[in-house]
Amino acid sequence: MNKKILALILGLVVILGTVLFIKRNNTSAGHYTIGVLQTASFPALDDTMRGFMSEIKKELGDNLTIIEQNAQGSMMQAQAIASSFKANKSISGFYAIATPAVQALKSEIKNRPIAFAAVTDPEGLHLRENDSNITGATDMADIEKQITIMRALLPKVTKVALLYNPGEPNSVIIVKQMKIALDKFGIAYQDNGANSQADVAAAAQHAAINSQAILIPTDNTIASAFPIVRQIADKAHVPIIATGTAEKEGPLMQFGVDYFQSGVQAAQLMKKMLVDGIKPMDLPVVAPSSSILISEKELKKFAIEIPESLKDSISLI
């Protein structure tokens, strides 16, 4: 009798252990860890992060762990973070914010999905080739339209300064498009390069002295130091035209994508890859809606009146 009871107890223990094992495994299988690599901290990229977090929490709820790292504008730091992410086998997928972040992750992560946002030229970076594990949301803007609007706002401008980091591929592609558009309007331009945040003040000073307006592409280096650029431009009484800084105290014109929406779209793509099992190459790169933001404060400062042709297509801030 004792043997039968003992056998029954042992059987129950085995069954209970099996149930707990299965339950634990099922919980683990339904839980996702996402490694986030953000290139730097400034409003546009911070908005991209907020959009991603808002949406991914809706999609995955409590079955989510986020490991967040910020490279603080350093490509070397981005590469080191990507390497540490590669070694962490618990990470299910990766979110790259801006071009340096996705470049670093692309070099390290080959068999786990990567979603990106705030990347200007995915094609030029070869992110979508050979059964790639990468997809995301681009922030490429309609540069010809931007220059056309600038011309309407500043019809007397004959020379502009292009302020950017020539080492950022995203900036280089935008600047090339800017130059083509400027040539069409017969507007002269001058390159002003800043290879790091330490160079921004000197480059901005040179740009402000030698131009009637400053043009800034989607550039992480310049955006990280935008308050300095604005201060120098204000002192020289030179307007700034920027491609998506997302600054509250912004330049005369900001033209670019909705970065919060960009983050939302990246989260939706991440869910499709992680939960639905869709291959990244079966998910096309998406583009958020773009907007034209004009600063009322800057309009008054430069005594600019908005042409009737633009009033229906812009937003005043």
Side-chain angles (χ1 to χ4, degrees):
M1 186 68 175
N2 288 339
K3 290 183 178 180
K4 289 183 178 179
I5 293 173
L6 182 60
L8 180 60
I9 292 172
L10 289 173
L12 289 172
V13 169
V14 171
I15 293 169
L16 180 60
T18 303
V19 169
L20 289 173
F21 177 80
I22 293 171
K23 184 177 181 181
R24 188 156 48 241
N25 275 3
N26 285 343
T27 301
S28 177
H31 191 92
Y32 301 93
T33 298
I34 297 173
V36 178
L37 175 50
Q38 182 169 333
T39 296
S41 292
F42 53 85
L45 301 193
D46 292 342
D47 280 353
T48 305
M49 181 60 183
R50 281 191 288 270
F52 181 85
M53 291 300 297
S54 173
E55 185 65 19
I56 203 68
K57 287 179 180 178
K58 291 179 185 176
E59 296 283 3
L60 300 182
D62 294 332
N63 299 319
L64 175 67
T65 297
I66 297 291
I67 301 174
E68 184 179 353
Q69 295 287 342
N70 193 311
Q72 302 298 336
S74 167
M75 191 63 204
M76 288 182 63
Q77 182 68 9
Q79 199 64 51
I81 293 168
S83 181
S84 70
F85 276 173
K86 178 183 179 180
N88 188 341
K89 302 304 181 184
S90 71
I91 299 178
S92 317
F94 303 87
Y95 177 42
I97 303 177
T99 295
V102 79
Q103 286 180 301
L105 287 172
K106 177 178 182 285
S107 69
E108 295 285 347
I109 310 299
K110 306 299 182 183
N111 56 4
R112 285 174 279 177
I114 300 170
F116 64 77
V119 172
T120 303
D121 187 21
E123 184 177 343
L125 295 174
H126 308 289
L127 299 182
R128 302 279 293 166
E129 297 177 355
N130 302 322
D131 199 26
S132 170
N133 59 323
I134 306 172
T135 190
T138 180
D139 65 353
M140 176 64 80
D142 185 341
I143 298 303
E144 185 170 353
K145 183 177 180 181
Q146 180 187 35
I147 302 302
T148 300
I149 294 170
M150 183 201 77
R151 185 56 156 170
L153 289 173
L154 303 168
K156 295 182 180 180
V157 165
T158 59
K159 184 179 181 181
V160 300
L162 301 168
L163 180 60
Y164 65 104
N165 182 349
E168 290 192 26
N170 44 291
S171 300
V172 172
I173 187 68
I174 293 292
V175 166
K176 285 180 180 178
Q177 294 183 21
M178 284 179 167
K179 289 178 178 180
I180 292 171
L182 289 166
D183 284 337
K184 289 182 179 179
F185 285 102
I187 301 173
Y189 48 80
Q190 177 190 69
D191 289 293
N192 296 266
N195 292 304
S196 69
Q197 288 188 41
D199 301 327
V200 171
Q205 188 70 44
H206 190 267
I209 292 172
N210 293 284
S211 70
Q212 297 165 291
I214 297 174
L215 268 66
I216 303 174
T218 47
D219 188 289
N220 298 298
T221 304
I222 304 302
S224 296
F226 183 76
I228 296 171
V229 177
R230 180 184 173 84
Q231 183 180 13
I232 291 169
D234 282 349
K235 188 174 181 180
H237 199 67
V238 174
I240 298 173
I241 309 296
T243 310
T245 65
E247 296 284 345
K248 291 182 179 179
E249 289 292 325
L252 171 62
M253 182 174 82
Q254 300 178 70
F255 183 95
V257 304
D258 181 331
Y259 281 95
F260 186 90
Q261 183 192 12
S262 181
V264 169
Q265 290 175 318
Q268 292 168 344
L269 290 169
M270 180 66 78
K271 182 261 181 183
K272 290 177 180 177
M273 291 187 288
L274 290 182
V275 180
D276 302 334
I278 302 175
K279 293 181 179 180
M281 285 301 289
D282 292 333
L283 296 168
V285 171
V286 297
S289 59
S290 61
S291 57
I292 305 164
L293 306 178
I294 306 292
S295 167
E296 290 186 288
K297 182 179 178 181
E298 296 293 293
L299 288 174
K300 292 177 183 177
K301 182 195 298 184
F302 295 105
I304 297 171
E305 290 191 12
I306 298 175
E308 287 294 329
S309 60
L310 295 182
K311 288 183 177 179
D312 292 336
S313 59
I314 67 168
S315 297
L316 295 174
I317 58 172

